[in-house]
């Protein structure tokens, strides 16, 4: 059963396995901040291929705007999802095996022409959520404003980190102007 968070979810996330959840649940912080509705489920490209295909094929009609798929190893799931929908699909390659996620990264990134998947980096769940928000923001000014606020917060955190370099030779602040 699909677990729905909020009313009409804007983002649908599929994981190849529940073992991907500790990574994928990092999206929550981002979606909470932006007030984006989402749902998450498990469907495997290899073990439950019909479920993966049906979930992807029905998502647009249910009102989902963006899909994300996370999988490790020979990660076919994002591609399978993209093959069954015209919604934008974000792929999250998961580090789940002895190749450190390179196997999943190449599987997700190297899609054949005509079936696009926006591949994030290995374990890039947070960026997947932010990318989904950027897509949704194309039609929502409130999200664009919040994205600008988010970017300012990130910049402040980086600048604040300079103050924690005590005892080291630092450039003057005007080196950044
Ligand atoms: C992939 O294989 C899953 O997405 C997961 O990352 C990996 C291991 O799956 P399990 O053995 O935990 O089902 O399909």
């Amino acid at each position: 059963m699909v677990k729905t968070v909020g009313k009409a979810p804007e983002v649908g996330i599929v994981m190849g396995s529940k073992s991907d959840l500790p990574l994928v649940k990092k999206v929550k912080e981002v979606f909470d901040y932006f007030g984006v509705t989402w749902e998450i489920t498990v469907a495997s490209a290899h073990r439950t291929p019909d479920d993966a295909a049906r979930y992807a094929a029905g998502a647009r009609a249910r009102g989902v705007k963006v899909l994300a798929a996370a999988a490790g190893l020979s990660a076919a799931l994002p591609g399978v999802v993209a093959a069954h929908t015209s919604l934008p699909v974000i792929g999250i390659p998961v580090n789940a095996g002895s190749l450190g996620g390179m196997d999943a990264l190449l599987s997700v990134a190297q899609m054949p022409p005509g079936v696009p998947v926006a591949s994030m980096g290995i374990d890039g769940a947070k960026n997947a959520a932010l990318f989904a928000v950027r897509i949704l923001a194309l039609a929502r000014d409130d999200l664009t404003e919040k994205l600008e606020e988010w970017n300012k917060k990130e910049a402040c955190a980086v600048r604040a980190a300079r103050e924690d370099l005590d005892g080291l030779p630092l450039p003057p602040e005007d080196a950044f102007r």
Side-chain angles (χ1 to χ4, degrees):
M1 193 176 92
V2 171
K3 190 178 170 199
T4 300
V5 182
K7 276 187 191 164
E10 296 160 289
V11 181
I13 303 179
V14 199
M15 300 174 287
S17 166
K18 196 177 172 193
S19 64
D20 300 321
L21 186 59
L23 168 77
V24 178
K25 72 182 177 196
K26 290 182 186 166
V27 301
K28 185 177 182 321
E29 176 211 343
V30 175
F31 291 146
D32 282 353
Y33 180 88
F34 288 96
V36 162
T37 55
W38 60 293
E39 64 183 14
I40 187 162
T41 190
V42 176
S44 165
H46 299 114
R47 295 160 174 157
T48 60
D50 292 346
D51 287 0
R54 280 194 291 261
Y55 177 78
R60 182 187 282 279
R62 292 194 303 110
V64 174
K65 302 277 189 302
V66 181
L67 287 167
L73 307 177
S74 176
L77 186 60
V80 166
V81 168
H84 288 88
T85 184
S86 53
L87 290 172
V89 177
I90 303 169
I92 307 166
V94 178
N95 174 6
S98 50
L99 298 185
M102 280 304 292
D103 41 5
L105 175 64
L106 296 178
S107 301
V108 175
Q110 291 295 100
M111 286 298 294
V115 190
V117 169
S119 178
M120 301 294 106
I122 297 167
D123 291 348
K126 186 172 176 181
N127 269 359
L130 284 166
F131 197 65
V133 173
R134 286 185 178 210
I135 294 171
L136 296 170
L138 289 170
R140 280 180 53 188
D141 290 346
D142 61 315
L143 285 182
T144 302
E145 276 166 31
K146 281 202 149 189
L147 276 165
E148 279 158 17
E149 198 181 284
W150 175 282
N151 292 345
K152 277 188 198 136
K153 261 194 348 166
E154 297 276 301
C156 283
V158 172
R159 292 190 182 116
R162 290 181 198 147
E163 284 154 31
D164 278 337
L165 301 173
D166 289 349
L168 296 170
L170 305 179
E173 264 308 303
D174 65 10
F176 300 97
R177 282 188 205 121

